[in-house]
């Protein structure tokens, strides 16, 4: 614009000369009768202005960027977006369709069928959740946890992982020396049936079972969720929270208030091992034990129905403690290579997961037990030389002396004698109603 003003000044100011009387123009005054012609300077000015405008537009026009290279985070975001969109569309479709479509028969819930058959609640029920399935809520925390009082840090929506990941990991960790809460942090198990009904929105654990049991008459007075802090060692749940003492008192109360009917316990996964510890603890003398008499279990417990027990441990516990590598991690690596090794949200994912899980003493209880007899070694496994289907033994034998997948010709796929792995023990309805003291002892050999 400054150049335009200077140009206009040069075009419209005429040269003058000085005289004693004043200023006079060099040009003689034009006659009023001469026709007016536009000066050539204005044409030049217009052309110059047009060129300046064109140059200004070219400067403002941004150059086109090339195609952006996709990173692992971009692929993950798209995958999560597709999954969430598909989930919400299916959920919308499920709620928009009528309850009974013509030609589509909905499966009848077990609770409805049992109620129609006249089945009602008899014995009180105590579910015992396993590892990671019970919710944990915050009662005291560091300044970074402001606004999270009595909010779930484990179980539920897991939204705090994205909002404040390092703070979330710090509050889930335990003290490396005591195995209890770090100073200034109190994370406790969520009480009641809501402790383990849903692990996350749409991911049920005990919710469906509780719903079907409610149809035959179960409710809060004859069903109790034995929630505990699954991060602690079994004895530390008693030292810090008195969880074993409260479980003992609750079983005794349910036994009395339900017509002196014994309690049926349904533990799951690591809860099976936890309840085995309770059975030893409750009949042991104090201060390490519960102080119950030797017949306490026979008096108060009718039966124990284990769901997915971890009697011999879990093999992936070893990899989780050594490197945080496992089946789930391998699946994530296959979907998005490099994601877990990169810095995501300001933290190294696997390194922090490994550091936190190593503070949980309960992981030791899930270490594989039984030694080489159960799990084998580098040169042998229990599955070798075992024919699952005896009718196909002839088809499994290598022909012409060819050895398959084995350097030892005596082994291969040839089955000489079936390995006896024991037998399944089952009790009839009459036996299940007998007191445990009257159930015949099968001995140690099966």
């Amino acid at each position: 614009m400054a150049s335009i003003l200077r140009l206009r000044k040069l075009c419209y100011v005429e040269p003058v000369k000085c005289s004693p009387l004043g200023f006079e123009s060099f040009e003689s005054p034009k006659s009023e009768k001469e026709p007016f012609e536009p000066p050539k300077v204005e044409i030049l000015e217009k052309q110059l202005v047009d060129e300046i405008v064109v140059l200004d537009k070219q400067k403002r026009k941004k150059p086109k960027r090339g195609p952006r290279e996709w990173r692992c985070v971009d692929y993950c975001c798209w995958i999560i977006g597709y999954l969430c969109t598909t989930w919400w569309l299916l959920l919308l479709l499920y709620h928009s369709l009528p309850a009974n479509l013509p030609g589509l028969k909905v499966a009848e819930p077990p609770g409805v069928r049992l109620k129609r058959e006249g089945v009602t609640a008899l014995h009180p029920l105590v579910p015992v959740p396993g590892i990671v399935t019970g919710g944990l809520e915050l009662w005291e925390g560091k300044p970074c946890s402001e606004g999270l009082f009595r909010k779930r840090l484990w179980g539920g929506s897991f939204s705090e992982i994205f909002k404040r990941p390092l703070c979330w990991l710090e509050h889930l960790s335990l003290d490396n020396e005591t195995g209890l809460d770090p100073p200034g942090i109190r994370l406790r198990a969520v009480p009641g049936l809501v402790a383990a009904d849903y692990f996350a929105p749409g991911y049920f654990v005990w919710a469906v079972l509780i719903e079907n049991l409610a149809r035959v008459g179960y409710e809060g007075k004859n069903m109790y969720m034995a929630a505990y802090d699954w991060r602690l060692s079994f004895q530390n749940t008693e030292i810090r929270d008195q969880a074993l003492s409260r479980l003992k008192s609750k079983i005794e109360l349910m036994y009395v208030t339900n017509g002196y009917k014994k309690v049926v316990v349904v533990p799951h996964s690591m809860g099976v091992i936890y309840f085995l510890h309770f059975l030893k603890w409750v009949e042991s003398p104090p201060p390490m034990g519960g102080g119950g008499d030797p017949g306490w279990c026979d008096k108060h417990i009718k039966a124990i129905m284990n769901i997915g027990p971890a009697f011999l441990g879990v093999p992936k516990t070893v990899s989780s403690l050594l490197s945080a590598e496992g089946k789930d991690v391998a699946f994530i690596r296959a979907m998005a290579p490099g994601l877990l090794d990169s810095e995501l949200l300001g933290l190294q994912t696997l390194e922090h997961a490994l550091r936190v899980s190593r503070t949980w003493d309960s992981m030791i209880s899930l270490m594989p037990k039984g030694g080489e007899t159960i799990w084998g070694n580098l040169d042998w496994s229990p599955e070798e030389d075992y024919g699952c289907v005896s009718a196909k033994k002839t088809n499994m034998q290598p022909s012409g002396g060819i050895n398959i997948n084995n350097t030892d010709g005596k082994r291969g796929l040839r089955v000489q004698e079936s390995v006896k792995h024991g037998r399944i023990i089952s009790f009839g309805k009459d036996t299940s109603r007998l007191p445990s003291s009257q159930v015949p002892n099968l001995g140690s050999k099966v």
Side-chain angles (χ1 to χ4, degrees):
M1 293 303 294
S3 60
I4 295 175
L5 293 175
R6 286 195 295 271
L7 179 62
R8 292 178 63 88
K9 183 177 180 181
L10 291 174
C11 293
Y12 288 100
V13 177
E14 298 178 353
V16 295
K17 65 178 181 177
C18 297
S19 66
L21 299 177
F23 296 99
E24 294 181 2
S25 174
F26 286 105
E27 297 180 359
S28 58
K30 296 181 180 180
S31 173
E32 295 180 358
K33 296 181 179 179
E34 292 180 359
F36 176 78
E37 295 181 1
K40 295 182 179 181
V41 180
E42 293 183 358
I43 298 175
L44 295 175
E45 178 189 2
K46 185 177 180 181
Q47 293 177 355
L48 184 59
V49 171
D50 293 339
E51 292 179 0
I52 294 174
V53 171
V54 171
L55 291 175
D56 190 38
K57 288 182 178 180
Q58 291 178 355
K59 290 181 179 179
R60 292 182 181 181
K61 189 175 182 181
K62 295 182 179 179
K64 294 183 179 179
R65 295 183 179 180
R68 180 186 174 187
E69 295 184 0
W70 279 57
R71 300 173 298 172
C72 294
V73 177
D74 300 327
Y75 283 109
C76 265
C77 292
W78 273 100
I79 291 173
I80 294 173
Y82 281 128
L83 292 176
C84 292
T85 304
T86 306
W87 173 259
W88 283 111
L89 288 176
L90 292 176
L91 197 63
L92 179 63
L93 183 64
Y94 172 77
H95 287 286
S96 60
L97 291 176
N100 295 319
L101 288 176
L104 179 62
K105 186 177 180 180
V106 181
E108 185 181 31
V112 175
R113 178 175 54 83
L114 293 174
K115 184 179 180 180
R116 187 177 63 252
E117 295 175 358
V119 177
T120 57
L122 179 61
H123 292 278
L125 189 66
V126 178
V128 184
I131 190 171
V132 308
T133 55
L136 301 175
E137 61 184 13
L138 184 68
W139 283 81
E140 181 184 2
K142 297 295 181 67
C144 64
S145 63
E146 186 68 27
L148 297 179
F149 176 70
R150 293 204 63 194
K151 298 291 182 63
R152 288 198 182 194
L153 294 188
W154 186 269
S157 61
F158 291 95
S159 59
E160 299 304 322
I161 301 179
F162 305 100
K163 294 180 181 178
R164 28 193 157 185
L166 294 179
C167 182
W168 180 79
L169 289 171
E170 181 183 6
H171 285 74
L172 280 178
S173 303
L174 295 174
D175 190 271
N176 288 319
E177 296 183 1
T178 64
L180 301 174
D181 292 319
I185 296 177
R186 281 190 298 156
L187 202 61
R188 298 294 180 262
V190 177
L193 295 174
V194 297
D197 54 352
Y198 285 92
F199 177 70
Y203 191 113
F204 68 86
V205 184
W206 293 89
V208 176
L209 179 61
I210 293 172
E211 181 181 359
N212 284 276
L213 289 172
R215 297 179 187 275
V216 296
Y218 279 97
E219 52 185 343
K221 68 179 182 180
N222 55 3
M223 184 164 53
Y224 169 74
M225 181 70 71
Y228 60 97
D229 192 338
W230 44 265
R231 304 172 301 157
L232 304 177
S233 64
F234 298 157
Q235 192 62 25
N236 275 346
T237 60
E238 172 64 18
I239 294 174
R240 195 195 70 176
D241 301 333
Q242 292 75 50
L244 300 176
S245 297
R246 289 187 289 109
L247 178 57
K248 175 190 174 186
S249 302
K250 191 65 179 180
I251 291 176
E252 293 173 345
L253 178 63
M254 295 173 71
Y255 171 75
V256 174
T257 57
N258 288 276
Y260 296 94
K261 294 184 178 64
K262 295 182 180 182
V263 175
V264 175
V265 184
V266 186
H268 168 246
S269 185
M270 192 185 76
V272 176
I273 312 175
Y274 180 74
F275 194 74
L276 285 178
H277 177 81
F278 170 80
L279 295 178
K280 284 290 185 180
W281 172 88
V282 71
E283 293 186 353
S284 300
M288 294 300 295
D293 57 83
W296 189 94
C297 294
D298 182 61
K299 178 181 178 181
H300 296 91
I301 298 176
K302 174 64 179 179
I304 303 173
M305 188 180 71
N306 300 316
I307 302 177
F311 289 122
L312 297 177
V314 181
K316 68 179 182 180
T317 307
V318 180
S319 59
S320 299
L321 289 175
L322 294 179
S323 63
E325 297 281 353
K327 179 180 178 182
D328 302 331
V329 175
F331 176 76
I332 296 176
R333 287 191 186 279
M335 296 295 294
L339 174 64
L340 296 177
D341 296 329
S342 62
E343 291 192 2
L344 179 64
L345 302 177
L347 59 94
Q348 295 270 341
T349 312
L350 286 182
E351 292 182 5
H352 284 274
L354 182 63
R355 177 179 59 83
V356 173
S357 62
R358 283 180 176 177
T359 64
W360 298 342
D361 292 342
S362 60
M363 297 287 287
I364 302 301
S365 65
L366 293 178
M367 292 291 288
K369 307 173 184 65
E372 296 182 357
T373 305
I374 301 298
W375 303 104
N377 52 29
L378 295 177
D379 302 320
W380 171 84
S381 66
E383 291 80 11
E384 291 185 10
D385 299 332
Y386 177 67
C388 299
V389 183
S390 59
K392 296 184 179 180
K393 289 181 182 178
T394 56
N395 299 330
M396 295 172 63
Q397 295 180 1
S399 60
I402 300 175
N403 186 21
I404 301 176
N405 295 332
N406 205 318
T407 57
D408 188 0
K410 296 181 180 180
R411 292 173 121 178
L413 298 177
R414 187 174 290 117
V415 180
Q416 300 294 339
E417 185 179 357
S418 299
V419 180
K420 296 181 180 180
H421 288 271
R423 61 187 177 88
I424 299 176
I425 302 174
S426 60
F427 299 97
K429 187 175 181 180
D430 296 334
T431 306
S432 64
R433 291 179 176 178
L434 293 174
S436 56
S437 57
Q438 299 180 13
V439 177
N441 187 8
L442 299 175
S444 58
K445 296 182 178 180
V446 294

